[in-house]
Amino acid sequence: MSAGKFEYAPAPESRSVVDLRSSYGLFVGGEFVPTADGRMFKTVSPATEEVLAEVTEAGTEDVDRAVRAARTAFDSVWGPMSGRDRGKFLFRIARLIQERARELAVLESLDNGKPIRESRDVDIPLAAAHFFYYAGWADKLEYAGFGADPRPVGVAGQVIPWNFPLLMLAWKIAPALACGNTVVLKPAETTPLTALLFAEICQQADLPPGVVNIVTGAGATGQAIVEHEGVDKVAFTGSTEVGKAIARSVAGTHKLVTLELGGKAANVVFDDAPLDQAVEGIVNGIFFNQGHVCCAGSRLLVQENVYDEVLDRLKRRMATLRVGDPLDKNTDVGAINSAEQLRRIATLSEVGEAEGAERWSAPCELPDRGYWFAPTIFTGVTQAHRIAREEIFGPVLSVLTFRTPAEAVEKANNTPYGLSAGVWTEKGSRILWMADRLRAGVVWANTFNRFDPTSPFGGYKESGHGREGGRHGLAAYLRAGNPKEAARA
Ligand code: TAP
């Protein structure tokens, strides 16, 4: 046994459950079709750099074809269909995700680099749960508080990032379909494979052709969707920079838009917190999914009188994290999603050192091939440091201190973002006092990174606008039948 770390025999999940094709077309009008005007690109496993498959880079003509297929399906089948019947399709999709959960989990870990424990226990079950949850709403929309006769918006153009590929797809597609819209969705360039497997699930569920269209590609494909005249609603999850460009491009058009953007969440630990639990929460807050989490607790605020103790326990806990093969069931921290993201994490970490913060990384051996970054913390961080202000989107934690609750609130809110926050304390009254003052869409108390389809999620300030999840998540996909009632909802 090495220092603090038990030795386990490798426990790799088998890849044989996944049937990878060598190349994938676009999913348009219920079929996989070749590109009309695009090219092909490769998707790799970030853990090994192995090429997994060739995927189509959709051009503007392909996007146009997908939007037209979505429009036809909306006008002829999906829009007119009763909510009860739409719900049946969503329940069917949810059950198929459950039936094919192992296949989806392995494919997600291969393409994204995240540990199989997370894709198996978090991403895929939550994706199924979103379809189950919104299936239940499909025939109850008139009771959702958006007017007596809420109508679908039409064709939704949806663009998602690479950090939770299937889960972000579910956040987008499940409420859109439940409300009677049809969709054209673009997964991220580096993680297209589970969206393409989802397309097969749509076929298996006998979903009418054109209700769901999946077009793969890079930023230009996303832009073509956003700018297409036939799109009625744009739903985007990704960086604040691209979100701002999208807001500019849809301004003055008929399109509705929701934006789920970046974050720099504070995780606030008071001196009366149960410290072992808080340390678990800190680790989960920043090292879950390699820190590729928009709501990651990337700024730790520790009350000064417990700072030494928290740091000591945190380092000891970090030394036990297992970094490596995403398909090994013992792995805690997997691969960084791409060479580009690894460069960004490394660059910002160098900036942290250059600005005078002290860097400490968990002792671990990183594999030779692939993209890897050891779990890292920076101490001696001030609010002016770039690593305290900018989203690193990796396994890097900036540690700051505070003395009073008021100072904790001021520091926590001192950010252009406002997606999430965490509070660790024994006192219920303090949790409520903090939650009232923290400018964040979600405030977790004595826990972190908890997600549930019934709970709305979204940002303040530059973290975006609109909510996904829960009853609130329906609002983005409905036009009110009665505007006065909608305003009251
Ligand atoms: P982005 O670079 O913004 O990419 C997001 C998606 O937009 C990708 O599919 C991307 O395609 C596409 N895209 C790029 N340029 C575009 C353009 N000009 N027009 C339309 N689409 C375009 O973000 P990312 O690096 O993949 O994801 C990380 C960011 O997402 C972080 O900032 C994170 O905080 C945020 N995020 C937020 C949330 C929520 S719920 N708020 C959840 C997850 C992630 P390519 O893949 O080809 O670049």
Side-chain angles (χ1 to χ4, degrees):
M1 198 177 93
S2 61
K5 209 180 280 195
F6 288 98
E7 298 296 343
Y8 288 107
E13 177 64 82
S14 166
R15 272 178 71 156
S16 62
V17 65
V18 167
D19 191 11
L20 269 176
R21 299 187 209 165
S22 59
S23 82
Y24 289 84
L26 304 166
F27 185 65
V28 175
E31 289 172 24
F32 284 93
V33 297
T35 171
D37 63 339
R39 294 184 296 257
M40 303 299 282
F41 65 96
K42 293 180 172 55
T43 184
V44 303
S45 154
T48 58
E49 299 174 54
E50 166 200 350
V51 173
L52 296 171
E54 279 211 324
V55 178
T56 307
E57 183 177 344
T60 48
E61 206 177 307
D62 296 316
V63 168
D64 183 55
R65 204 159 37 139
V67 173
R68 279 190 285 113
R71 173 66 56 194
T72 305
F74 176 72
D75 289 339
S76 61
V77 194
W78 200 249
M81 189 183 285
S82 72
R84 191 158 171 268
D85 286 341
R86 285 200 308 271
K88 286 184 196 164
F89 280 106
L90 290 173
F91 278 122
R92 203 179 287 170
I93 290 172
R95 283 194 299 269
L96 285 166
I97 292 176
Q98 285 187 323
E99 273 169 30
R100 301 182 73 171
R102 189 152 159 252
E103 191 182 350
L104 285 162
V106 172
L107 189 58
E108 197 76 299
S109 283
L110 273 175
D111 204 18
N112 169 282
K114 65 175 67 201
I116 186 75
R117 224 159 34 90
E118 292 179 5
S119 48
R120 183 194 63 194
D121 297 347
V122 182
D123 294 56
I124 311 304
L126 268 178
H130 270 81
F131 278 96
F132 277 120
Y133 174 73
Y134 281 108
W137 270 119
D139 64 349
K140 303 174 192 69
L141 296 174
E142 62 267 43
Y143 309 110
F146 303 107
D149 183 25
R151 314 299 310 157
V153 174
V155 174
Q158 308 181 317
V159 180
I160 56 172
W162 43 261
N163 56 344
F164 292 94
L166 188 74
L167 184 56
M168 290 297 108
L169 173 151
W171 281 28
K172 295 274 179 281
I173 293 185
L177 262 48
C179 293
N181 305 277
T182 55
V183 306
V184 176
L185 177 134
K186 187 193 92 67
E189 183 183 4
T190 57
T191 54
L193 295 181
T194 46
L196 292 163
L197 184 50
F198 179 81
E200 281 180 30
I201 287 175
C202 291
Q203 287 180 323
Q204 209 181 339
D206 281 331
L207 190 71
V211 173
V212 167
N213 302 275
I214 307 283
V215 290
T216 46
T221 308
Q223 195 173 349
I225 295 174
V226 168
E227 290 176 357
H228 196 289
E229 275 188 6
V231 165
D232 301 304
K233 188 231 154 32
V234 173
F236 173 76
T237 297
S239 61
T240 294
E241 190 191 345
V242 174
K244 285 180 181 175
I246 289 176
R248 279 192 294 273
S249 105
V250 301
T253 71
H254 71 289
K255 293 172 196 169
L256 304 178
V257 63
T258 41
L259 302 170
E260 298 281 357
L261 309 176
K264 191 76 188 175
N267 203 359
V268 184
V269 179
F270 285 94
D271 60 4
D272 64 343
L275 292 188
D276 281 335
Q277 273 162 262
V279 165
E280 284 308 305
I282 295 164
V283 167
N284 175 37
I286 187 63
F287 302 121
F288 170 63
N289 202 30
Q290 296 70 247
H292 302 325
V293 183
C294 50
C295 50
S298 54
R299 283 183 303 146
L300 174 63
L301 301 185
V302 188
Q303 198 153 20
E304 211 172 75
N305 52 336
V306 288
Y307 172 81
D308 289 338
E309 198 178 342
V310 168
L311 253 277
D312 192 44
R313 292 189 199 202
L314 178 60
K315 286 182 178 174
R316 262 189 286 144
R317 177 66 180 93
M318 283 172 64
T320 69
L321 290 174
R322 286 157 204 287
V323 184
D325 181 5
L327 287 187
D328 191 322
K329 291 173 214 159
N330 296 321
T331 294
D332 298 309
V333 179
I336 300 303
N337 180 253
S338 64
E340 190 189 335
Q341 187 60 21
L342 180 58
R343 259 193 306 279
R344 182 176 156 75
I345 297 167
T347 305
L348 271 169
S349 299
E350 281 158 25
V351 168
E353 275 183 300
E355 288 184 341
E358 193 179 322
R359 177 177 181 162
W360 182 88
S361 294
C364 57
E365 262 177 50
L366 299 179
D368 297 333
R369 286 187 69 77
Y371 317 127
W372 302 94
F373 199 88
T376 294
I377 55 177
F378 277 97
T379 51
V381 179
T382 72
Q383 296 186 82
H385 282 137
R386 275 182 66 192
I387 53 168
R389 309 194 65 78
E390 293 180 29
E391 188 179 39
I392 300 174
F393 221 59
V396 180
L397 178 68
S398 298
V399 187
L400 297 91
T401 58
F402 67 92
R403 288 183 184 169
T404 64
E407 188 187 347
V409 169
E410 196 186 312
K411 285 187 169 167
N413 287 341
N414 184 12
T415 166
Y417 296 112
L419 199 53
S420 66
V423 180
W424 296 84
T425 173
E426 199 185 48
K427 292 190 186 65
S429 57
R430 180 174 284 163
I431 290 170
L432 297 176
W433 189 90
M434 290 290 290
D436 252 2
R437 287 160 180 79
L438 291 169
R439 301 287 296 159
V442 180
V443 178
W444 284 295
N446 293 324
T447 187
F448 211 93
N449 275 341
R450 288 249 173 190
F451 307 99
D452 191 286
T454 64
S455 174
F457 185 93
Y460 280 61
K461 301 193 276 186
E462 292 192 15
S463 289
H465 59 83
R467 292 291 178 267
E468 291 190 316
R471 183 189 71 84
H472 299 71
L474 298 166
Y477 291 100
L478 290 172
R479 290 186 203 282
N482 177 340
K484 276 191 196 146
E485 284 183 42
R488 279 204 299 274

